[in-house]
């Protein structure tokens, strides 16, 4: 029987991996692109991402109260993880980091119901140079939270890992794993 992780890899290959000419957030040009939302916004994809992230958290003994990241990439990951965590544990609150503090209402950059100073996991859908991930980490640290770990759905293996070496960093998949399956 196929594991949840193998099925998730299959979904990423089928729905999220695209070939062509793309410009990445970093400005770099690439002949492939991971549009992870095409997987994470599927019911099965959201469920499997949640199961795999929670499995990883338990296996690695990561102690945190919340999981979140930069909008928009983290949004379809953190909410399902929080919901499934209520059933499977450990229970995690979700939070979302805005690109900048909103100019009205509470004027917060981080949305969620977090306890002051709590330990959090920062998640990103795809890490290339880690620029977006680092922006989320900086916002979290400035807000007074402690980063317990960083988790990525896919690491493109283009330098982001090294930039995240200050924190425990766990990609669910690396580009080479997805390409390996794409070739088979």
């Amino acid at each position: 029987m196929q594991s949840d992780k193998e099925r998730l890899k299959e979904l990423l290959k089928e729905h999220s991996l695209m070939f062509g000419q793309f410009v990445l957030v970093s400005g770099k040009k690439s002949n492939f692109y991971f549009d992870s939302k095409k997987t994470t916004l599927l019911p099965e994809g959201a469920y499997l991402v949640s199961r795999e992230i929670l499995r990883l958290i338990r296996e690695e003994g990561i102690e945190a109260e919340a999981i979140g990241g930069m909008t928009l990439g983290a949004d379809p990951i953190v909410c399902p993880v929080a919901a499934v965590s209520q059933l499977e544990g450990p229970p995690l609150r979700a939070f979302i980091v805005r690109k900048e503090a909103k100019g009205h209402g509470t004027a917060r950059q981080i949305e969620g119901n977090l306890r002051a100073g709590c330990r959090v996991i920062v998640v990103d859908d795809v890490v290339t140079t880690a620029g977006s991930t680092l922006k989320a980490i900086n916002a979290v640290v400035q807000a007074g939270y402690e980063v317990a770990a960083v988790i990525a759905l896919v690491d493109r293996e283009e330098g982001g890992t090294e930039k995240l070496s200050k924190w425990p960093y766990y990609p669910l998949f690396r580009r080479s794993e997805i390409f390996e399956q794409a070739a088979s």
Side-chain angles (χ1 to χ4, degrees):
M1 182 168 168
Q2 189 177 43
S3 72
D4 286 350
K5 188 166 184 177
E6 286 299 315
R7 177 62 183 146
L8 179 56
K9 191 188 326 183
E10 210 173 80
L11 288 176
L12 286 166
K13 176 191 153 213
E14 181 181 343
H15 297 287
S16 295
L17 177 60
M18 298 182 291
F19 294 96
Q21 296 303 311
F22 304 96
V23 178
L24 307 176
V25 172
S26 64
K28 294 171 81 175
K29 293 183 180 179
S30 178
N31 61 358
F32 70 95
Y33 185 74
F34 286 106
D35 185 352
S36 66
K37 289 174 281 309
K38 290 188 174 286
T39 296
T40 59
L41 290 170
L42 291 170
E44 183 182 16
Y47 177 69
L48 292 173
V49 167
S50 299
R51 296 278 318 263
E52 284 306 300
I53 287 176
L54 291 169
R55 179 195 56 76
L56 173 74
I57 290 167
R58 289 188 299 266
E59 284 181 3
E60 295 297 332
I62 301 168
E63 294 182 19
E65 294 178 39
I67 187 166
M70 188 66 72
T71 197
L72 179 69
D75 297 357
I77 297 173
V78 300
C79 293
V81 168
V84 174
S85 78
Q86 180 64 31
L87 299 171
E88 296 186 6
L92 295 166
R93 295 171 183 224
F95 68 92
I96 295 169
V97 180
R98 295 174 181 270
K99 290 181 179 31
E100 56 190 44
K102 64 182 184 174
H104 61 282
T106 59
R108 286 187 298 234
Q109 184 175 11
I110 298 176
E111 296 293 343
N113 188 357
L114 304 181
R115 183 184 60 78
C118 72
R119 291 173 51 86
V120 302
I121 298 166
V122 173
V123 69
D124 208 341
D125 59 341
V126 178
V127 167
T128 303
T129 62
S132 296
T133 312
L134 290 168
K135 283 180 188 174
I137 290 169
N138 289 337
V140 163
V141 169
Q142 283 184 333
Y145 305 116
E146 180 185 347
V147 177
V150 178
I151 298 175
L153 176 56
V154 177
D155 186 322
R156 286 179 54 104
E157 299 176 298
E158 294 182 28
T161 299
E162 293 77 17
K163 292 179 183 173
L164 297 172
S165 63
K166 181 177 176 183
W167 303 274
Y169 172 58
Y170 306 96
L172 289 182
F173 298 100
R174 297 186 186 280
R175 173 189 67 193
S176 55
E177 294 174 273
I178 306 289
F179 275 31
E180 174 183 82
Q181 187 181 12
S184 56

